[in-house]
Amino acid sequence: MTTDEKWMRHTLSLADKAYQQGEVPVGAVIVKNDKIIADGWNQPIVNHDPSAHAEIMALRSAGQNQQNYRLPEMTLYVTLEPCVMCAGAIIHARVGRVVFGAYDPKTGAAGSVFDVFSDSRHNHQVEVMGGVLAEQCGNKLREFFRERRKK
């Protein structure tokens, strides 16, 4: 198992927390030197906050933990390709690397629909890798929406 797979498995366990709260099951963790700095999972419904995506929750927690809004040399792992909002926040936080699981063909901002990270006009470039444990990440989302449609 690679380091990226190890941390993606951790994000899947965080996605389960979102699932249990009735949220879209997306989890995120921020790692530096193979240690967890912060984690998060989707909470927009519970928090009545449209910005409470897993990535944003992890970024907020990491900023508090590090006492800095900049998070250089860190890797953000997330089970679903970031949206435009999250991609912008990741760039502003100066995260060094993003690794995601499932691609998002509707709102993905790491190449699926938009390509926010690769725009050279940004003053910070983020290394991006997608598709790590994509099947497991995608299955969790499909299962959630399948159950939701039944209700």
Side-chain angles (χ1 to χ4, degrees):
M1 174 185 333
T2 67
T3 300
D4 288 343
E5 289 171 340
K6 169 185 140 181
W7 291 116
M8 193 58 68
R9 288 188 195 291
H10 182 73
T11 65
L12 282 163
S13 71
L14 296 168
D16 288 336
K17 291 184 178 191
Y19 199 115
Q20 292 162 4
Q21 293 178 334
E23 301 277 3
V24 175
V26 178
V29 65
I30 297 176
V31 175
K32 183 176 183 181
N33 298 328
D34 209 35
K35 292 194 178 6
I36 295 175
I37 300 301
D39 58 25
W41 54 91
N42 267 6
Q43 298 177 57
I45 297 167
V46 172
N47 288 337
H48 310 289
D49 179 356
S51 70
H53 289 192
E55 301 95 311
I56 300 296
M57 301 307 289
L59 289 168
R60 288 175 181 161
S61 180
Q64 291 299 309
N65 177 293
Q66 299 294 294
Q67 292 294 288
N68 195 341
Y69 71 108
R70 301 289 197 216
L71 305 170
E73 302 173 17
M74 296 189 197
T75 300
L76 186 148
Y77 293 89
V78 62
T79 55
L80 181 64
E81 180 180 5
C83 69
V84 172
M85 173 185 69
C86 292
I90 290 164
I91 291 166
H92 285 290
R94 306 295 193 263
V95 171
R97 183 169 179 250
V98 170
V99 178
F100 67 89
Y103 287 86
D104 185 346
K106 295 189 181 201
T107 64
S112 288
V113 179
F114 306 100
D115 206 352
V116 173
F117 292 110
S118 71
D119 192 319
S120 62
R121 293 173 291 184
H122 295 298
N123 61 351
H124 175 70
Q125 298 302 306
V126 178
E127 179 186 337
V128 178
M129 174 190 273
V132 176
L133 301 183
E135 188 173 338
Q136 293 94 317
C137 295
N139 285 343
K140 190 171 293 291
L141 289 159
R142 282 186 287 279
E143 179 184 328
F144 173 81
F145 286 112
R146 193 175 310 118
E147 284 181 14
R148 186 172 249 188
R149 281 190 294 273
K150 285 181 184 178
K151 293 177 183 179

